[in-house]
Amino acid sequence: MNLILLGPPGVGKGTQAKLLIDRFGIPQISTGDILRAAVKDLTPMGVKAKGFMDSGALVPDEVVIGIVEERLAQADCVPGFVLDGFPRTVGQADALKGVLSRMGRGIDHVVSLSVDQKELLTRLTGRRACAKCGAVYHVEFAPSKVSGVCDACSGELYQREDDKEATILNRLKVYDEQTAPLISYYQECGLLRSVDGLGTVDGVQSAILSQIQG
Ligand code: AP5
Ligand code: MG
């Protein structure tokens, strides 16, 4: 199963990707997670990416295309993959098509998640992540048992640098301008599966499954 999760910041791509990878036994490829790890490790790529990410802008296409091409070539991607947060521009989508066709592969479904902007802001401003294991929480919708402490590993919970309101608004603008055009791009390819992202996490997962297995 080769999947793309498409949708604005905070819509629940990462949350839904985690459930899909458990169900199908395939890896999640989140360019955001890979870039944040590079920023934390101060790699040359991370140093270059940090300014773009902190302002809510996109990292240049050639950087993220390189990341994904390298990742897709790894053995655990043979049974399938869930792309989370990639592609985000038409240039990235075209490049992905080329990379996959050279591998004799293709995309099965592009799941497009949507919720209204007010809900996106609530989800993003309330999100907390574990600094140690990366588990994602929400102060209201998915709180940890002890405030600020990860249930899974007792690591410290933190707020992402780009989850401050001013940066969120820029990320949403960048999404509308550069990523939303991919909805019609994939509709024209016959791959788009639209799913309402509002509702419980399990409810959204069921809606996704009925679109990709139905
Ligand atoms: P990235 O990390 O991909 O961020 P994003 O696309 O902005 O999306 P988020 O991770 O913020 O949201 P999500 O949809 O995963 O939501 P989540 O499941 O966490 O990218 C970050 C940056 O990296 C970019 O701005 C850019 O600079 C760079 N970058 C990455 N990829 C790139 C690319 N391809 N090209 C160029 N640059 C790139 O959920 C959010 C919150 O809501 C959580 O707290 C969660 O608990 C809660 N929640 C989830 N589902 C529900 C629900 N059903 N009900 C209630 N709450 C829910
Ligand atoms: Mg995410």
Side-chain angles (χ1 to χ4, degrees):
M1 181 84 76
N2 302 341
L3 298 175
I4 292 174
L5 290 184
L6 181 64
V11 78
K13 301 181 297 295
T15 303
Q16 295 299 328
K18 291 275 182 301
L19 298 177
L20 290 166
I21 63 171
D22 287 346
R23 173 172 285 266
F24 294 109
I26 54 179
Q28 171 190 13
I29 304 177
S30 160
T31 40
D33 287 349
I34 294 168
L35 288 165
R36 274 185 293 281
V39 169
K40 196 173 163 197
D41 294 344
L42 295 171
T43 70
M45 181 176 77
V47 170
K48 191 173 167 195
K50 188 176 176 358
F52 295 102
M53 296 175 77
D54 286 351
S55 70
L58 294 183
V59 172
D61 277 0
E62 63 272 19
V63 175
V64 282
I65 291 166
I67 292 174
V68 171
E69 185 163 16
E70 205 174 286
R71 186 65 188 84
L72 285 172
Q74 291 173 15
D76 63 337
C77 292
V78 170
F81 50 82
V82 179
L83 281 167
D84 158 10
F86 181 94
R88 264 170 138 101
T89 63
V90 170
Q92 291 177 22
D94 286 339
L96 176 66
K97 208 186 221 171
V99 168
L100 289 174
S101 101
R102 285 194 291 281
M103 298 171 87
R105 308 184 70 172
I107 292 295
D108 297 313
H109 308 281
V110 177
V111 175
S112 169
L113 292 168
S114 55
V115 302
D116 60 63
Q117 174 146 338
K118 188 165 164 275
E119 176 73 11
L120 293 175
L121 273 167
T122 308
R123 288 188 184 183
L124 288 169
T125 49
R127 174 167 56 191
R128 300 292 181 269
C130 176
K132 211 159 127 195
C133 74
V136 172
Y137 296 87
H138 189 281
V139 290
E140 189 185 338
F141 305 136
S144 58
K145 290 193 186 92
V146 178
S147 172
V149 180
C150 178
D151 293 346
C153 74
S154 303
E156 192 184 336
L157 303 188
Y158 75 103
Q159 184 171 33
R160 259 170 56 175
E161 258 324 298
D162 59 351
D163 278 348
K164 311 282 155 65
E165 192 158 339
T167 314
I168 292 171
L169 292 175
N170 194 36
R171 287 161 65 201
L172 295 174
K173 183 166 166 274
V174 167
Y175 173 81
D176 285 341
E177 289 170 0
Q178 299 191 53
T179 308
L182 292 180
I183 296 173
S184 50
Y185 178 103
Y186 283 117
Q187 193 152 33
E188 280 158 27
C189 308
L191 293 173
L192 196 78
R193 320 283 177 247
S194 298
V195 171
D196 183 357
L198 203 60
T200 64
V201 169
D202 289 344
V204 174
Q205 179 71 191
S206 300
I208 293 176
L209 292 175
S210 73
Q211 288 271 7
I212 65 179
Q213 295 181 317

